[in-house]
Amino acid sequence: MKRLAFVVVLAFAISALVISAFAQAATSQWAYFVVINSGAEAPGLHDFTIPLEVMDKSREDLADLRLHDANGKEIPYALRIRSEVDDRQVIGGSLFNQANVGSASEASVDLGEERGEHNEVEIQTAGTNFRRRVAVEGGDTGTDWKTLQTGALIFAFQSQNKTVQSDRVSYPTSRYRYLRVRVFADELSDTEPPTIANVSAVRAVRAKGELTTWDVNVPAYQLLRSQGAPASAWSIDLGARVPCDRLILDIDDASFSRAFQVETGDDPQNLRLVASGELTRHVGERAPLVIKFDQEEHVRKLRLLIKDYSNQTLTITAIKGGAPARQAVFELKQAPAQPLRLFFGNPNATAPHYDFEKELLTRLSITPVRIGSGPATNNPDYKPEPLPLTERIPWLIYIVLTLSSIALGLILFSLARSTMRTEGQTAEDSAAPASSR
């Protein structure tokens, strides 16, 4: 019995060692990790924002991130870039069956066989200064109609050379081939059913997004000239090489209007323009000013240049960097071994391509539980890839080259001697018959 107990204990000990060794081997090529804070103990959907220091030491595409529990089990995740999205794709179609039905106008539209999904209809009607009710129906055959929206409004009002209008009606995402819209006359301004000029289905994608901002030290400015005009320049260090698509400035001055430009500053000899325009504030306004870049940049340093002309340099009291948040979303089937660790810092890692990433949109009907993360820590199990032999033993290449040169010299010397010997023998053979005659 004692021997059996000893064997069991020994087996457990060996299993623990194997698991520990496997966990270390699985993450030994990753230089850093952050601990995911408590909150991820219960099964379910969770998410956390990728910290700036992780993005600074990771690949730009974040493909080297790996999430593991304490036993080394890899947890699939999906990355979301929380950019604000407002995209509209118009789906072509052809109108038919236009008619008046009582006080309403009616028209149907065929969206074709390759229509895809749609969730909005754009209705163009004649007239101004109206407020008209709209009903939208959908169907697969053009005869069996299902209600998509009722009681929606389109309107257009004009006053003092300004027009305010809305000709779009939203409805639940649909794949119906046919749409039928009915536009009712405005009881106050229409004397007859309104004419429907056109109907277009739209695939509209809108997402509010989430912004990550961080404080940046305000550097001392430099006075210089830009295109012949006096200007001020600030060399801004974002604190890490991270995604950035805007600068948020707190400026003390009460009112101003100055031309500005923002350039990448990682390479002072190769500055590249990322934003330009006018910084403007009117008396009584105090909100921070936002400079939005033409596109997101992955940089550490930026240069802000403001043309002052004959004005005093602006007093910038605070600067923030900003970019759409990067979120990691994962699902726990059961309570994991704590703590969870996010490993990063492996430039040679390949993208994981988890199946979970492709299923994420269907799972986000449930709001994930938001959790935090700790500071970046050096991975004690990190084992960097060995350097090439020529870098580990730099003098070896000189020995190899020397030996190769000597060997080549010996070969050439041997060939030369062989050639000379052959030529001498040929000369003797040619001279022998002549002397005998």
Side-chain angles (χ1 to χ4, degrees), residues 52 54-62 238 240-245 264 266 272 274 293 295-302 326:
L52 293 178
V54 172
M55 290 190 282
D56 181 38
K57 295 179 172 62
S58 299
R59 288 174 36 172
E60 286 192 13
D61 59 1
L62 301 179
L238 297 175
R241 195 170 188 279
V242 294
C244 182
D245 75 345
T264 58
D266 285 351
R272 180 168 52 83
V274 299
F293 301 169
Q295 62 183 22
E296 186 178 78
E297 301 290 337
H298 206 103
V299 293
R300 175 167 186 143
K301 294 182 179 180
L302 297 166
R326 269 64 174 171

XYZ file of all heavy atoms in Angstrom, residues 52 54-62 238 240-245 264 266 272 274 293 295-302 326:
261
model
N -0.599 50.425 -23.718
C 0.353 51.061 -24.629
C 1.702 50.361 -24.596
O 2.351 50.188 -25.639
C 0.525 52.534 -24.259
C -0.699 53.442 -24.466
C -0.366 54.848 -24.008
C -1.133 53.443 -25.909
N 2.359 47.341 -24.134
C 2.298 46.092 -24.890
C 2.447 46.392 -26.378
O 3.209 45.733 -27.092
C 0.981 45.343 -24.611
C 0.828 44.154 -25.555
C 0.944 44.863 -23.164
N 1.735 47.412 -26.854
C 1.821 47.767 -28.270
C 3.215 48.267 -28.638
O 3.674 48.077 -29.766
C 0.764 48.815 -28.609
C -0.653 48.257 -28.565
S -1.900 49.384 -29.223
C -2.075 50.519 -27.838
N 3.908 48.880 -27.686
C 5.250 49.391 -27.952
C 6.243 48.257 -28.197
O 7.151 48.382 -29.029
C 5.705 50.247 -26.760
C 7.091 50.843 -26.963
O 7.400 51.243 -28.097
O 7.860 50.886 -25.984
N 6.086 47.135 -27.490
C 7.056 46.040 -27.570
C 6.556 44.865 -28.418
O 7.232 43.849 -28.505
C 7.406 45.556 -26.154
C 8.124 46.589 -25.296
C 8.426 46.047 -23.910
C 9.310 46.989 -23.104
N 8.663 48.299 -22.871
N 5.392 45.001 -29.014
C 4.841 43.942 -29.855
C 5.029 44.282 -31.323
O 5.460 45.379 -31.679
C 3.349 43.757 -29.576
O 3.113 43.392 -28.243
N 4.665 43.342 -32.163
C 4.600 43.627 -33.586
C 3.497 44.645 -33.853
O 2.538 44.757 -33.087
C 4.325 42.343 -34.365
C 5.490 41.404 -34.408
C 5.170 40.083 -35.041
N 4.231 40.162 -36.155
C 3.941 39.130 -36.946
N 4.512 37.955 -36.735
N 3.079 39.255 -37.927
N 3.624 45.400 -34.937
C 2.634 46.426 -35.230
C 1.240 45.835 -35.411
O 0.244 46.450 -35.049
C 3.036 47.217 -36.476
C 4.192 48.181 -36.231
C 4.377 49.152 -37.374
O 3.471 49.246 -38.238
O 5.420 49.819 -37.413
N 1.163 44.620 -35.968
C -0.151 43.997 -36.169
C -0.617 43.202 -34.949
O -1.690 42.588 -34.979
C -0.136 43.088 -37.399
C 0.910 41.971 -37.289
O 1.603 41.890 -36.258
O 1.026 41.187 -38.253
N 0.186 43.200 -33.865
C -0.142 42.509 -32.609
C -0.362 41.009 -32.808
O -1.016 40.362 -32.001
C -1.397 43.129 -31.954
C -1.303 44.615 -31.605
C -2.607 45.093 -30.983
C -0.131 44.896 -30.673
N 5.526 60.607 -27.725
C 4.307 59.943 -27.262
C 4.553 58.969 -26.120
O 3.616 58.427 -25.544
C 3.637 59.206 -28.422
C 3.145 60.088 -29.575
C 2.622 59.217 -30.716
C 2.068 61.056 -29.110
N 5.945 56.012 -26.305
C 6.114 54.651 -26.838
C 5.783 54.714 -28.319
O 5.127 55.654 -28.790
C 5.205 53.652 -26.128
N 6.252 53.715 -29.053
C 5.922 53.658 -30.482
C 4.593 52.924 -30.611
O 4.526 51.696 -30.550
C 7.029 52.942 -31.261
C 6.930 53.157 -32.753
C 8.171 52.646 -33.480
N 8.136 53.044 -34.878
C 7.459 52.423 -35.826
N 6.786 51.320 -35.515
N 7.466 52.862 -37.067
N 3.535 53.698 -30.772
C 2.172 53.162 -30.693
C 1.303 53.751 -31.799
O 1.662 54.754 -32.424
C 1.544 53.499 -29.314
C 2.261 52.774 -28.200
C 1.563 55.005 -29.072
N 0.125 53.158 -32.047
C -0.815 53.769 -32.989
C -1.319 55.101 -32.443
O -1.589 55.236 -31.246
C -1.948 52.743 -33.074
C -1.377 51.472 -32.544
C -0.337 51.858 -31.546
N -1.442 56.086 -33.319
C -1.939 57.403 -32.913
C -2.635 58.030 -34.109
O -2.098 58.010 -35.224
C -0.778 58.288 -32.446
S -1.291 59.925 -31.858
N -3.848 58.554 -33.895
C -4.550 59.200 -35.007
C -5.035 60.596 -34.659
O -5.772 61.208 -35.434
C -5.712 58.339 -35.494
C -6.922 58.363 -34.568
O -6.777 58.815 -33.409
O -8.012 57.936 -34.990
N 5.492 63.376 -38.828
C 6.148 62.309 -38.080
C 7.571 62.737 -37.770
O 8.234 63.364 -38.597
C 6.176 61.010 -38.903
O 6.857 61.247 -40.133
C 4.773 60.514 -39.187
N 10.011 60.482 -36.046
C 10.932 59.400 -35.702
C 12.259 59.547 -36.439
O 13.318 59.206 -35.914
C 10.299 58.042 -36.034
C 9.222 57.663 -35.022
O 9.109 58.360 -33.998
O 8.498 56.679 -35.250
N 7.434 63.574 -42.425
C 6.310 63.280 -43.313
C 5.049 63.908 -42.748
O 4.720 63.745 -41.578
C 6.153 61.762 -43.460
C 5.021 61.349 -44.369
C 5.126 59.856 -44.702
N 5.261 59.052 -43.496
C 4.229 58.672 -42.742
N 2.995 59.045 -43.068
N 4.417 57.928 -41.675
N 1.340 64.502 -41.698
C 0.210 63.633 -41.352
C -1.084 64.411 -41.109
O -2.165 63.825 -41.094
C 0.528 62.769 -40.110
C 1.713 61.867 -40.386
C 0.794 63.621 -38.877
N -5.607 63.170 -37.584
C -4.681 62.861 -38.671
C -5.447 62.353 -39.889
O -6.573 61.871 -39.789
C -3.659 61.807 -38.247
C -2.817 62.195 -37.061
C -2.019 61.257 -36.426
C -2.820 63.495 -36.562
C -1.240 61.590 -35.329
C -2.054 63.854 -35.467
C -1.265 62.898 -34.845
N -4.663 59.732 -41.486
C -4.773 58.299 -41.242
C -3.989 57.971 -39.977
O -3.172 58.766 -39.520
C -4.214 57.487 -42.421
C -2.742 57.718 -42.680
C -2.237 56.954 -43.886
O -3.002 56.581 -44.766
N -0.942 56.704 -43.947
N -4.259 56.822 -39.401
C -3.562 56.421 -38.189
C -2.086 56.173 -38.482
O -1.735 55.587 -39.507
C -4.204 55.159 -37.623
C -3.647 54.734 -36.282
C -4.347 53.503 -35.732
O -4.029 52.401 -36.202
O -5.220 53.654 -34.865
N -1.238 56.631 -37.587
C 0.209 56.458 -37.720
C 0.727 55.601 -36.579
O 0.205 55.659 -35.456
C 0.924 57.816 -37.705
C 0.492 58.772 -38.791
C 0.960 58.335 -40.167
O 1.939 57.571 -40.240
O 0.353 58.769 -41.165
N 1.773 54.805 -36.853
C 2.430 54.004 -35.823
C 3.795 54.646 -35.571
O 4.768 54.353 -36.256
C 2.576 52.553 -36.293
C 2.648 51.578 -35.172
N 1.595 50.771 -34.789
C 3.641 51.283 -34.311
C 1.944 50.025 -33.763
N 3.185 50.311 -33.464
N 3.854 55.545 -34.599
C 5.047 56.367 -34.385
C 5.300 56.560 -32.890
O 4.453 56.249 -32.054
C 4.896 57.759 -35.043
C 4.848 57.654 -36.546
C 3.647 58.473 -34.520
N 6.475 57.106 -32.594
C 6.769 57.530 -31.229
C 6.874 59.048 -31.130
O 6.458 59.639 -30.139
C 8.076 56.903 -30.737
C 8.467 57.431 -29.352
C 9.532 56.667 -28.661
N 9.705 57.183 -27.308
C 9.970 56.452 -26.253
N 10.076 55.134 -26.371
N 10.117 57.003 -25.063
N 7.396 59.683 -32.177
C 7.633 61.122 -32.115
C 6.877 61.839 -33.224
O 6.786 61.357 -34.349
C 9.128 61.424 -32.210
C 9.918 60.901 -31.011
C 11.388 61.253 -31.112
C 12.157 60.738 -29.895
N 13.598 61.075 -29.974
N 6.351 63.004 -32.867
C 5.646 63.869 -33.804
C 6.178 65.291 -33.649
O 6.703 65.653 -32.590
C 4.138 63.862 -33.538
C 3.401 62.535 -33.713
C 2.015 62.620 -33.084
C 3.281 62.162 -35.183
N -7.527 49.175 -28.887
C -7.344 47.786 -29.298
C -7.843 46.906 -28.166
O -7.363 47.026 -27.035
C -5.877 47.474 -29.559
C -5.399 47.688 -30.989
C -5.449 49.091 -31.441
N -4.841 49.212 -32.774
C -4.894 50.304 -33.506
N -5.535 51.364 -33.063
N -4.312 50.343 -34.694
